[in-house]
Amino acid sequence: MNNSIIGARIKALREGKKLTQERLAEILQVESRQSVSEIERGRRRLSAEELIKVVRYFDVTFDQLTNPFLLSAKDSFSWRQKNVALQDLNSFENVAGEWVGAYRELARLNNIKTKKILPRIGLTHASSFEEAVQAGEDVAEEMGLTNNPAHHLINSLEEKFDILVLMVDPIEGISGAACRLQALNAILINKNEQLGRRNSDVAHEFFHILTWDQMKPERIECSAEAWERPSSRSQNRNLRIEQLADNFASGLLMPSWELDRIGPPSKTDPIGWLVAAAIQLGVSVNGLKWRLVNSKRYPELIKIKNDDIALVAQNIEAEKKPELFGSRFINIIIKSIEGGHLSAGRAAKLLGVSRSGLADLCKAYGFQCPVELQTGVD
């Protein structure tokens, strides 16, 4: 057992119940507050009897105390979702948190750094939407995303800023999430969404990662209904952050130089032109339409109805959905299996796939399967 992990979990549980170290010493029947301090700092091992007392008093499982992949930090996630029951969201967050926690711990064991300095964009609640769009363009330029930013954004986030981007198959209603930890930033995206929507969500969550300290998003992002009728000051604040995030994403994915490159709309077939341009840029058709309208380049496009766009877009050949998780994540799973930090069975269980399914993921990303996967059975 890792004493540091257990100690940190006990400290989080104690603080969650607003207990003093003196009170916890009484509950565990240990010598003094100093003994609790030593436990929480990982310098004193708990006896089996003390461990049982912790499990019973805080009503947690042994795994919740000892699993190094579980996240103990609260309010680490901000979710884009629609009509997801809180209980279901909590359950999926536990699963997603273990993926992120596993990557963080396995990266440490493999001596891989997981955090780099992020750009500063200087936006606040008082910033205008135009300033958010310009910040998006500035970041695109700083990142070197000068040609089709949407198509290169994920690779750039991982390579330049060590932001883990996971393609996941979530419960219905979840589009994605941002996760901010002390030693790791992560973005989760619903792999089943259309490409343009996925790219928009990545850029949107990237905004939350960049502005987490200045404008921390709510755990559950503002709902569509609240955009029409915000009912409280808190909801107004949340709404403002989400609107700034959308405008930042618009500038990041569709900077002015890309709008120049696609040229003016077709006079004979503006909808077909709009759909083709959106595919070229890797963005949603509606997102491109409103970017062109709001930038005052082609305000006449506001006349195009969403139903008409959908009618044309439905005839486009269906795209192949991305594989689960991502190359960086699967690579560290493989390294950890080969390095003895993780068994193939536990890796498969962590990812929610069979051993053969994990082997298929290795092949899909072009990696050689670890020997343990080649010889194992489901």
Side-chain angles (χ1 to χ4, degrees):
M1 293 188 296
N2 187 312
N3 293 335
S4 296
I5 290 173
I6 294 175
R9 300 271 165 84
I10 290 175
K11 180 179 180 181
L13 290 169
R14 176 181 64 78
E15 291 178 343
K17 279 188 171 289
K18 296 181 171 55
L19 299 177
T20 63
Q21 290 182 330
E22 287 84 357
R23 176 56 185 143
L24 185 56
E26 294 174 3
I27 293 168
L28 299 181
Q29 295 180 317
V30 297
E31 297 84 358
S32 64
R33 180 202 68 77
Q34 185 62 31
S35 297
V36 172
S37 177
E38 292 293 303
I39 291 171
E40 292 182 348
R41 292 158 70 182
R43 295 180 178 178
R44 178 188 180 287
R45 180 186 291 271
L46 281 91
S47 67
E49 184 180 355
E50 291 166 349
L51 196 57
I52 291 172
K53 288 179 182 178
V54 171
V55 168
R56 287 177 176 173
Y57 181 80
F58 291 105
D59 191 23
V60 295
T61 65
F62 183 75
D63 187 61
Q64 286 174 302
L65 282 181
T66 60
N67 186 342
F69 298 162
L70 296 182
L71 300 182
S72 58
K74 300 298 183 183
D75 300 323
S76 301
F77 282 92
S78 175
W79 293 95
R80 297 196 84 183
Q81 58 80 49
K82 182 178 182 181
N83 300 326
V84 177
L86 184 59
Q87 182 177 355
D88 294 336
L89 183 64
N90 290 340
S91 296
F92 186 72
E93 182 174 301
N94 289 336
V95 174
E98 193 165 359
W99 293 331
V100 176
Y103 182 86
R104 179 181 62 177
E105 178 65 11
L106 294 175
R108 183 186 68 80
L109 292 173
N110 284 281
N111 297 314
I112 298 173
K113 294 183 178 180
T114 58
K115 197 165 186 181
K116 294 180 181 176
I117 297 175
L118 298 172
R120 296 182 63 87
I121 59 177
L123 296 176
T124 69
H125 294 90
S127 299
S128 67
F129 296 150
E130 291 77 15
E131 288 172 325
V133 170
Q134 185 58 54
E137 288 202 17
D138 293 343
V139 170
E141 186 173 16
E142 182 179 342
M143 293 173 67
L145 300 174
T146 55
N147 187 21
N148 289 330
H151 294 297
H152 308 289
L153 179 59
I154 292 177
N155 285 341
S156 186
L157 291 179
E158 292 190 328
E159 292 172 6
K160 294 180 182 296
F161 305 125
D162 283 333
I163 295 175
L164 176 66
V165 181
L166 295 179
M167 291 292 156
V168 301
D169 189 8
I171 57 178
E172 185 176 355
I174 291 179
S175 295
C179 178
R180 179 75 180 273
L181 301 174
Q182 184 175 2
L184 177 66
N185 295 308
I187 293 172
L188 281 68
I189 298 296
N190 186 339
K191 69 184 288 289
N192 303 307
E193 301 277 10
Q194 293 296 317
L195 174 64
R197 176 64 183 272
R198 294 199 306 269
N199 288 334
S200 176
D201 284 346
V202 172
H204 181 104
E205 302 306 338
F206 181 37
F207 171 88
H208 287 317
I209 295 294
L210 292 178
T211 62
W212 197 278
D213 294 331
Q214 297 77 26
M215 291 182 281
K216 184 177 180 180
E218 296 291 331
R219 180 183 177 225
I220 299 175
E221 297 183 18
C222 200
S223 66
E225 292 77 11
W227 282 63
E228 298 177 3
R229 296 182 299 275
S231 58
S232 67
R233 183 174 181 180
S234 174
Q235 204 169 59
N236 268 308
R237 175 188 177 278
N238 191 11
L239 171 61
R240 182 70 180 179
I241 293 174
E242 298 310 311
Q243 289 172 326
L244 289 169
D246 280 345
N247 280 273
F248 171 87
S250 181
L252 178 65
L253 299 178
M254 296 169 280
S256 55
W257 59 85
E258 289 292 277
L259 302 183
D260 291 338
R261 188 165 62 87
I262 62 174
S266 167
K267 293 183 179 180
T268 57
D269 185 15
I271 298 179
W273 172 87
L274 195 61
V275 171
I279 294 173
Q280 176 185 336
L281 295 176
V283 299
S284 70
V285 183
N286 276 322
L288 177 58
K289 167 191 159 182
W290 285 110
R291 174 73 170 112
L292 293 169
V293 169
N294 292 334
S295 66
K296 299 181 173 57
R297 286 170 177 266
Y298 307 113
E300 67 274 13
L301 292 178
I302 198 172
K303 297 176 183 178
I304 297 178
K305 298 178 180 178
N306 292 345
D307 289 343
D308 294 335
I309 290 175
L311 193 61
V312 173
Q314 72 181 2
N315 295 320
I316 300 173
E317 184 177 351
E319 59 161 329
K320 181 182 178 181
K321 300 301 181 186
E323 298 289 347
L324 274 171
F325 301 113
S327 176
R328 175 169 290 217
F329 183 79
I330 297 300
N331 186 39
I332 204 166
I333 293 293
I334 293 171
K335 285 181 178 294
S336 298
I337 294 174
E338 293 175 337
H341 303 302
L342 186 67
S343 70
R346 186 178 185 188
K349 183 178 180 181
L350 171 70
L351 274 57
V353 298
S354 64
R355 290 168 67 103
S356 60
L358 179 53
D360 289 341
L361 280 174
C362 293
K363 295 173 185 176
Y365 284 109
F367 299 125
Q368 184 175 353
C369 289
V371 173
E372 189 180 346
L373 272 180
Q374 296 175 24
T375 58
V377 293
D378 287 341

